[in-house]
Amino acid sequence: MNDKNISKALEITDANFDQTIQSTQPVLVDFWATWCGPCRMFTPVVDELAGEVAEKFTIGKLDVDKNPAASAKYGIKTVPTVIIFKDGQEVARMIGAQTKATLHEALSEHTN
């Protein structure tokens, strides 16, 4: 199987959400849904980013339909929404699909 077809982004669920965002490195969470066209177009960007920054950041995806608790806790009303967490706290939020450059820039502002 070709590794390029495997998502490099971590699958985040309600069950592992709190533990995941408590990471010692910044965590970017893409809140998305399978029915969302912009989300599907944004997925390759998130996967590429995950492959590029894995040493410094955790990049994950959370399906809002399958994981309503985390989505509700953070008031996710629009997908895709990207939240960056540092030491378990929200430090940045972007609504809508973003470019990889924009995500890189946002993450670089929160490097440990």
Side-chain angles (χ1 to χ4, degrees):
M1 179 177 242
N2 187 337
D3 283 345
K4 290 183 180 178
N5 294 330
I6 299 171
S7 174
K8 290 180 174 43
L10 175 69
E11 182 179 350
I12 300 175
T13 65
D14 284 343
N16 70 5
F17 186 86
D18 288 336
Q19 179 182 353
T20 301
I21 67 168
Q22 293 296 332
S23 173
T24 56
Q25 59 189 20
V27 180
L28 179 147
V29 180
D30 171 22
F31 291 83
W32 72 288
T34 57
W35 49 262
C36 166
C39 297
R40 289 194 307 271
M41 291 176 9
F42 187 45
T43 291
V45 174
V46 174
D47 286 343
E48 283 179 34
L49 182 71
E52 293 173 8
V53 301
E55 313 78 45
K56 290 184 175 182
F57 305 100
T58 299
I59 308 297
K61 296 177 68 62
L62 182 135
D63 183 329
V64 297
D65 292 328
K66 292 181 181 176
N67 302 284
S71 303
K73 181 177 180 178
Y74 287 92
I76 304 302
K77 296 185 179 11
T78 304
V79 289
T81 292
V82 173
I83 299 179
I84 298 173
F85 295 91
K86 188 169 184 181
D87 300 321
Q89 300 298 312
E90 179 178 336
V91 294
R93 181 181 294 229
M94 295 167 271
I95 297 174
Q98 306 293 318
T99 66
K100 191 166 57 168
T102 300
L103 296 176
H104 269 292
E105 184 178 323
L107 285 170
S108 70
E109 294 174 12
H110 302 289
T111 303
N112 287 338

